């Protein structure tokens, strides 16, 4: 972000239910923008939209404008307004960083990517998210290994194929595609059954 000109800020607000409104968040964000000397270049409001959704009308519009270079900074009232999933939040913040757009959460004082402390906090959050992903992968692998050890067959259940009928149809000159359609099975399932049986 250039220090020679007034930073252009995008204000992002979200409420998850239709009976709430973004007024309180927006008022505070406008006040902070005025105090810090930011020029408000856009206000992006998602009303009645869950933070668990990764695609939201105003958020998508804001990210499009970020790619077009329409602002230097995104400000939110609280981090959970931007998103609930740590992975999604980090992906959004990483996208903004790559676009050269700073990020500030006014109610979460330490979350400000325009400061060294804020960038460090985001790196720590990223490390925890990566650690969480690794733990999940390890648990899934361990669960699959245990299931295999107990003789549980994994993957899709095998479909019964009338191999005798399929061979008869082949002898009549039908193609594998026609046979698969007649037996209402995928061609790959038919091929496997013919190879095995």
């Amino acid at each position: 972000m250039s220090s020679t000109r007034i930073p252009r800020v995008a204000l992002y607000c979200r409420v998850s239910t239709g009976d709430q409104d973004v007024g309180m968040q927006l008022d505070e964000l406008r006040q902070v923008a005025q105090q810090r000397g930011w020029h408000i270049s856009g206000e992006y409001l998602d009303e009645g939209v869950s933070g668990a959704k990764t695609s939201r009308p105003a958020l998508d519009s804001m990210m499009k404008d970020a790619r077009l270079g329409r602002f230097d900074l995104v400000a939110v009232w609280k981090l959970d307004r931007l998103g609930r999933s740590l992975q999604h939040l980090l992906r959004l913040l990483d996208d903004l960083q790559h676009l050269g757009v700073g990020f500030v959460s006014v109610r979460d004082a330490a979350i400000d990517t325009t400061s060294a402390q804020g960038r460090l906090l985001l790196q720590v959050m990223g490390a925890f998210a990566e650690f969480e992903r690794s733990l999940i992968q390890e648990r899934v692998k361990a669960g699959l290994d245990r299931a295999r050890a107990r003789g549980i067959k994994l993957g899709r259940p095998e479909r019964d194929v009338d191999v005798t009928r399929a061979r008869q149809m082949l002898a009549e000159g039908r193609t594998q595609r026609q046979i698969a359609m007649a037996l209402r099975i995928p061609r790959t399932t038919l091929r496997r059954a013919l190879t095995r049986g």
Side-chain angles (χ1 to χ4, degrees), residues 126-141:
F128 274 109
E130 184 61 38
F131 177 63
E132 181 186 29
R133 277 193 297 271
S134 298
L135 288 178
I136 290 168
Q137 288 170 348
E138 285 176 16
R139 282 196 299 264
V140 168
K141 186 182 179 312

Side-chain angles (χ1 to χ4, degrees), residues 90 122-132:
L90 291 171
L122 286 175
Q123 287 171 353
V124 170
M125 286 170 62
F128 274 109
E130 184 61 38
F131 177 63
E132 181 186 29

